[in-house]
Structure formats: C-alpha cells, structure tokens
Amino acid sequence: MTLPENSENDAFDLQNFLPFLLNQAAEGSSLEFQRVYKDRYGMLRTEWRVLFHLGSYGEMTARDIGRRAKLHKTKISRAVHKLELRRYLKRSRDEKDRRVERLALTPAGQTVYNELRGIARDYDARLARKFTSGETALLRMMLRRLAGMD
Amino acid sequence: MTLPENSENDAFDLQNFLPFLLNQAAEGSSLEFQRVYKDRYGMLRTEWRVLFHLGSYGEMTARDIGRRAKLHKTKISRAVHKLELRRYLKRSRDEKDRRVERLALTPAGQTVYNELRGIARDYDARLARKFTSGETALLRMMLRRLAGMD
DNA sequence: GCATAATAGTTGATTTTGTAACTAACAAGA
DNA sequence: TCTTGTTAGTTACAAAATCAACTATTATGC
C-alpha cells in the first residue's frame, strides 16, 4: 500500500467526500436499528419505512408514502404486500378514485409500530448524545437540506 | 391521510430520525454523482469506490479496501473483476504471501480516476456551498464520528 | 362521447446484493 | 511434521432491487 506516483492529488480527500461520508454515516448508524427490525421483527428496510409512515402520519396511499420517503412504487407495492400478509396493515379502495388504495395499520401493526417507535426514539437519543444538542440540531437541519426535504 | 387515533406520539418525528435522515441525505446527495459514474462510465457504486481507493491511496489489497470502505469481500471481488475486464486495474500476486493480490490502477484507470476525481471535487464543493464553511467542517466531523471513522 | 394521455398500482425479467460454502495459502502448537 | 485454525479471495445459490411492461381507472381535449 504505497502512495500513488500521480500526486497532483490536489485537495481531494475521499474520506471527506460528502456523498461517501454520508453513506458511511448512514450505514454505520443504521446497523443496530436494522438488527432490531430485521432479526427481531423479520422486516426489510422498506417495510419498516412503510410501517413508520403509516404509524406516524396515519392513513396514506402508496403514492403518498413514495413521495415522502422517496421510495419507488414497486418497492412500496411489495412492502405493502408483505405487511398485509403479516396482518400489520389493511387496504381499502378509495370510492372517489378507484385506482387508489388507502392504507392503514391494523391494531397489530399499531402495536409493532409502537414498540419500534420506542426503540427508534431511544436509539436516536443515543446517537444524538454523541454531540451537543446545538450540534445535533444543526446536523438535522443540514441533513434535511441535503436530502431536499425543505 | 388523516392523523392517527393513537396520538401518544410523544416526541418521535420520523423526518428527524437520524438513521432515516442520514439515508435520505446520502441518497439525495449521491444522485447526481451517481449519474456520472453510472451513465457516463458504466460503473456501479462499489466499482467507483474501489477505483477511488486505488486512485487515492495507490496500490492496495482487496482486504485493505474492505477495511477502509467497509465493503464486504464478495462485493470487492466482483468490483475488482469488472474493473479488470475494463482494463482499469491489474492484479499481481504478492510473492511474500501468495494468498494476497496487490491491486493497482492501469494508466487507463488512472485517467478515469483523474476525471472522476475532478467531478467529485466540484460536486463536493457545490454541496459544501449550501452551508458556511464552519458548518460544513462541523458536518464532516460529525459524519466521521457517526460512521465510526475516528 | 370518444380518443389519447396520465395516474395508481402490480407483475415479470434482469441485475445486483447477501449469505454460505468453498479453495488455496499460511500460521501456530503439539 | 502433522493437525488445527486462520486468512485472502472466489463462487454458487438465494434474496432483493431495478427496470420495463402491464392492467385498471380517471382526466383531458376535441
């Protein structure tokens, strides 16, 4: 592992490249939470996201979730199907527009959501404690802006 | 899209949940760069990462790259194979330890790396301009810590 | 009303990833 | 030296993501 000949390496540092760094941070900070929803609840990433959207915002359509979570409709379609099989959500046709399905958690889904929400809240608090509260607030603001959420 | 009955929603906001937010920011801020290495160079995410590691740090082994980039060896194995087919890198057996392969970019690989590095640098600068330089420095520090890079 | 286009969501084929088992080479201890 | 264990990397198979094509329904323009 020697240094490259080509040393007009002017001012580029991979370890500080934001897209790389953001990915590393996202993966690193998701690992533990992933073990919870995956190993303990048998859910996929898209599945907990759908569950959390319905738990947080109440009844939504697949399209609503896709917009908010920036998830492709095929991913959502399959996640909804799995959550339905597990009886965590139910669908109902919108009678105004029969293309649309209104999605809502069942009581069982609500229960799972409540459990996971508690774990998520604790986990978030643990991550936040790595910094001062001002720093964490600034971090969230910056991430929202990078995500195009405002 | 109505509010959930269950409104003991005490202090949990999905949009501010760090693992979610980090993922959204990572995806959002990778999109444009992805279009470059994917559409213009036909590379996968793991492939540009391997390319950048070799370009930035010079000759390395697959294991070295795996440690630095937190990539699983199977991913690296496949990325190395593809980069080799494109003649962007060459392998050579380490004669001290014949299990090990030393990986290095070919001149063609160096050229592609140099091009992409320039694009990456500009892109990073564009992202950084969304904030003050102090904020950006703080952001990088926090992300490194969340990624377990220090 | 009718043709055309747009939208919600699903399905199937292909690509990519993840997991486990594998080969080959080295290491360490009896 | 001979086991046993570890490490570097590959391969095969299963799981998941992506992309395109599809159905069904509603919207738009003439």
Side-chain angles (χ1 to χ4, degrees):
Chain A
M1 197 164 131
T2 56
L3 277 176
E5 322 76 46
N6 185 350
S7 268
E8 19 123 348
N9 239 330
D10 43 312
F12 181 77
D13 175 9
L14 179 55
Q15 306 272 32
N16 273 318
F17 180 42
L18 280 170
F20 180 69
L21 205 42
L22 282 160
N23 250 292
Q24 299 285 97
E27 279 183 30
S29 73
S30 297
L31 266 175
E32 275 186 67
F33 187 62
Q34 178 175 19
R35 270 196 289 276
V36 176
Y37 66 71
K38 207 167 183 177
D39 298 352
R40 234 152 85 194
Y41 292 87
M43 277 194 243
L44 258 29
R45 206 160 59 111
T46 310
E47 291 166 34
W48 83 256
R49 287 197 182 184
V50 168
L51 185 89
F52 267 60
H53 274 77
L54 295 175
S56 296
Y57 307 119
E59 190 173 280
M60 298 176 87
T61 70
R63 182 170 161 279
D64 293 333
I65 297 173
R67 284 222 193 292
R68 285 236 195 195
K70 291 202 198 110
L71 289 171
H72 195 267
K73 58 184 182 173
T74 60
K75 269 192 185 175
I76 296 175
S77 176
R78 284 165 171 134
V80 166
H81 181 68
K82 288 235 194 86
L83 291 172
E84 193 184 27
L85 286 180
R86 269 177 215 138
R87 317 257 186 251
Y88 287 173
L89 68 75
K90 62 181 197 318
R91 332 188 189 208
S92 50
R93 278 275 163 220
D94 185 324
E95 288 304 327
K96 298 280 184 192
D97 182 345
R98 299 180 40 72
R99 289 170 300 185
V100 174
E101 284 181 340
R102 294 180 293 116
L103 305 171
L105 295 186
T106 61
Q110 268 292 335
T111 301
V112 171
Y113 167 66
N114 287 342
E115 287 168 23
L116 279 171
R117 185 188 58 192
I119 293 168
R121 189 172 35 216
D122 294 350
Y123 186 52
D124 192 79
R126 275 222 339 270
L127 291 174
R129 269 200 295 282
K130 290 175 185 266
F131 314 105
T132 70
S133 65
E135 285 170 341
T136 303
L138 182 63
L139 175 65
R140 293 195 215 267
M141 179 278 279
M142 296 176 90
L143 293 175
R144 276 196 307 273
R145 197 177 315 169
L146 287 168
M149 284 165 82
D150 46 52
Chain B
M1 199 165 130
T2 57
L3 277 175
E5 323 74 45
N6 185 351
S7 267
E8 20 122 348
N9 238 331
D10 44 310
F12 181 77
D13 175 9
L14 179 55
Q15 306 272 32
N16 273 318
F17 181 42
L18 280 170
F20 180 69
L21 205 41
L22 282 160
N23 250 292
Q24 298 287 96
E27 279 184 29
S29 73
S30 296
L31 265 175
E32 274 186 66
F33 186 61
Q34 177 176 19
R35 269 196 289 276
V36 176
Y37 66 73
K38 206 167 184 179
D39 298 351
R40 232 150 88 193
Y41 292 87
M43 278 194 242
L44 258 30
R45 206 161 58 111
T46 310
E47 291 166 35
W48 84 256
R49 287 197 182 183
V50 168
L51 185 91
F52 267 60
H53 275 78
L54 295 175
S56 296
Y57 308 119
E59 190 173 279
M60 299 175 86
T61 70
R63 182 172 161 279
D64 293 333
I65 297 173
R67 283 221 194 293
R68 286 236 195 194
K70 293 205 195 104
L71 289 171
H72 196 265
K73 58 185 181 174
T74 60
K75 266 192 184 176
I76 296 176
S77 175
R78 293 194 254 245
V80 165
H81 181 67
K82 286 234 195 89
L83 291 172
E84 193 185 28
L85 286 181
R86 271 177 213 137
R87 316 257 186 253
Y88 287 174
L89 69 75
K90 61 182 201 314
R91 332 186 188 210
S92 50
R93 279 273 162 224
D94 185 323
E95 289 303 328
K96 298 278 181 191
D97 182 345
R98 300 181 39 72
R99 288 170 301 185
V100 173
E101 284 181 338
R102 294 181 292 116
L103 305 171
L105 295 186
T106 61
Q110 269 292 335
T111 301
V112 171
Y113 167 66
N114 287 343
E115 288 169 20
L116 279 171
R117 185 189 56 192
I119 292 167
R121 189 171 34 217
D122 295 349
Y123 186 52
D124 192 80
R126 274 221 343 268
L127 291 174
R129 269 200 295 282
K130 288 175 186 267
F131 315 104
T132 70
S133 65
E135 285 170 341
T136 303
L138 181 63
L139 175 65
R140 291 193 215 269
M141 179 278 279
M142 296 176 89
L143 293 175
R144 277 196 306 274
R145 196 173 320 164
L146 287 169
M149 284 166 84
D150 45 49

